[in-house]
Amino acid sequence: MKLYSYWRSSASWRVRTALAYKGLSYDYVPVHLTRDGGEQHKEAYREKNPMRQVPLLELDDGRTLAQSVAILEYLEEVFPEPPLLPRDPYLRGKVRQLVEVVNAGIQPFQNLATTTRLRQLGVDPDAWVKEWIRRGLEAFEREVAQTAGRFCVGDSPTFADVVLVPQCYSSRRFGVDLTPYENILKIEKNCLELDAFRRAHPEAQPDAER
Ligand SMILES: N[C@@H](CCC(=O)N[C@@H](CS)C(=O)NCC(=O)O)C(=O)O
């Protein structure tokens, strides 16, 4: 498999974590999101992903999948062990709820294309981004208070942890203080003790810039 990724992309990080957790090897194809106007906008990449976003997973037979959550679901179905979803249907629903808090409730509002467009419209995106991050993290924090063990839902990592850890990193980059979110910080620490989460970290990627 090939993963089209950018080191600091939170959505790419989700997929990198799932691949690492499931012990799957892949070729890393960097897509630089800012250099030369952004490689995601070049025709060669748009043909692969018309949404002009990373991540994109290319299977060995050349078929592709975009949208990180769709990729996570695919990986879970094809490579079910070790699982990243609980067995219990209600808890699976809870995991997916937490995923959407980040995937639909935060990430689109902080994405590069959104902040770039806001600047073009004369709006400083700083307060905008912080508002959506805080609102989402507050909801996430309250929800995990009901479900967390060592991780977001129980004592094994799930998709919810896979999306949370990159969101913590992005939130700090946008200047959001995470100290009010005690459960989230505890879960993030537990995740980052695991090899899969560490190997998926932006700074461990071949295209990392320091
Ligand atoms: N819902 C998509 C979001 C993908 C996304 O927004 N990717 C960002 C990086 S985290 C991107 O490629 N941004 C490029 C741009 O905004 O131009 C997913 O989960 O894969």
Side-chain angles (χ1 to χ4, degrees), residues 25 54 72 79 93 95 107 115 118 122 131 154 156 161 174 177 180:
S25 60
V54 287
L72 295 182
F79 308 101
V95 167
Q107 193 275 340
T115 55
L118 284 174
E131 178 180 334
S156 301
D161 304 283
F174 284 110
D177 173 18

Side-chain angles (χ1 to χ4, degrees), residues 22 73 76 82-88 91-92 95-96 157-159:
K22 290 176 179 290
E73 295 281 357
E76 186 70 8
L84 278 168
L85 282 173
R87 278 179 184 277
D88 178 81
L91 294 178
R92 289 166 90 91
V95 167
R96 290 179 170 123
T158 65
F159 291 168

